[in-house]
Amino acid sequence: MLFRSVANEIRTISLAVDQVRSQSAELAGVIERAETRYRGTGDALHTYAVALQEAQRKHDSAMASARSGSSDLDNASYYRDYYRELAETPGPEQLEMIEKYRHWREKAENAQHDVDVAHQQAAAAYEERDSAALVAMSSIVTRSEEHTSELQSH
């Protein structure tokens, strides 16, 4: 009888150990899937952060160029207008004033072009930022949907 009692105890302990092992394996699977999902989300956010920093750097550079170009444009426009008035005045220096007017008109056109390019670069940086955000969101949503379908299948 003692042997049966001990045997029953051992069998009960063995069944409990088997159940703990089974639940441990299942829990390990759940933890592994969660770790994979969160690692993917972290990777997506890291990639976005790098792209965001680069887009911000490009935007800042473009805006600095636009400010500098605007200053150049203001200066060139002032002299263009100044020499235009002098070039329209007949006299011995009229040809020289026409040349100076042309010089400053060209500088103003070039400065305007530089400002326009800088604004286009700033807009492109915003587009890069927005594109990187969409890629990150898509990756995170995909991971979340994969996790949801895994949970539903279990």
Side-chain angles (χ1 to χ4, degrees):
M1 183 136 15
L2 180 63
F3 290 121
R4 281 188 192 184
S5 177
V6 170
N8 284 340
E9 288 269 333
I10 291 173
R11 188 176 322 132
T12 301
I13 291 171
S14 176
L15 290 173
V17 168
D18 288 347
Q19 186 174 7
V20 167
R21 282 185 185 143
S22 172
Q23 289 175 345
S24 295
E26 188 176 316
L27 181 58
V30 169
I31 291 170
E32 184 179 334
R33 287 188 301 277
E35 186 271 338
T36 300
R37 185 177 79 249
Y38 289 119
R39 180 183 307 275
T41 299
D43 290 346
L45 290 173
H46 174 75
T47 300
Y48 173 64
V50 170
L52 179 60
Q53 287 175 332
E54 179 62 13
Q56 188 63 49
R57 184 196 63 73
K58 287 179 180 180
H59 182 266
D60 290 348
S61 176
M63 292 310 296
S65 293
R67 283 188 295 277
S68 175
S70 289
S71 177
D72 292 346
L73 177 59
D74 289 345
N75 186 48
S77 295
Y78 170 81
Y79 284 108
R80 177 200 59 209
D81 295 345
Y82 173 76
Y83 285 114
R84 180 180 348 170
E85 288 181 27
L86 294 176
E88 292 171 353
T89 305
E93 297 176 347
Q94 187 175 20
L95 289 178
E96 180 184 350
M97 296 303 118
I98 289 171
E99 284 303 312
K100 287 185 178 187
Y101 162 71
R102 288 179 181 155
H103 169 78
W104 287 105
R105 182 184 65 197
E106 184 178 337
K107 285 187 81 75
E109 289 169 354
N110 291 339
Q112 181 64 60
H113 174 74
D114 292 347
V115 168
D116 292 344
V117 167
H119 284 138
Q120 290 168 356
Q121 290 171 339
Y126 276 140
E127 288 177 15
E128 287 179 27
R129 177 206 61 195
D130 293 348
S131 177
L134 290 175
V135 168
M137 287 187 306
S138 176
S139 179
I140 291 168
V141 166
T142 299
R143 295 278 181 175
S144 178
E145 288 172 350
E146 289 171 355
H147 175 70
T148 301
S149 68
E150 285 176 11
L151 288 177
Q152 290 173 349
S153 68
H154 287 209

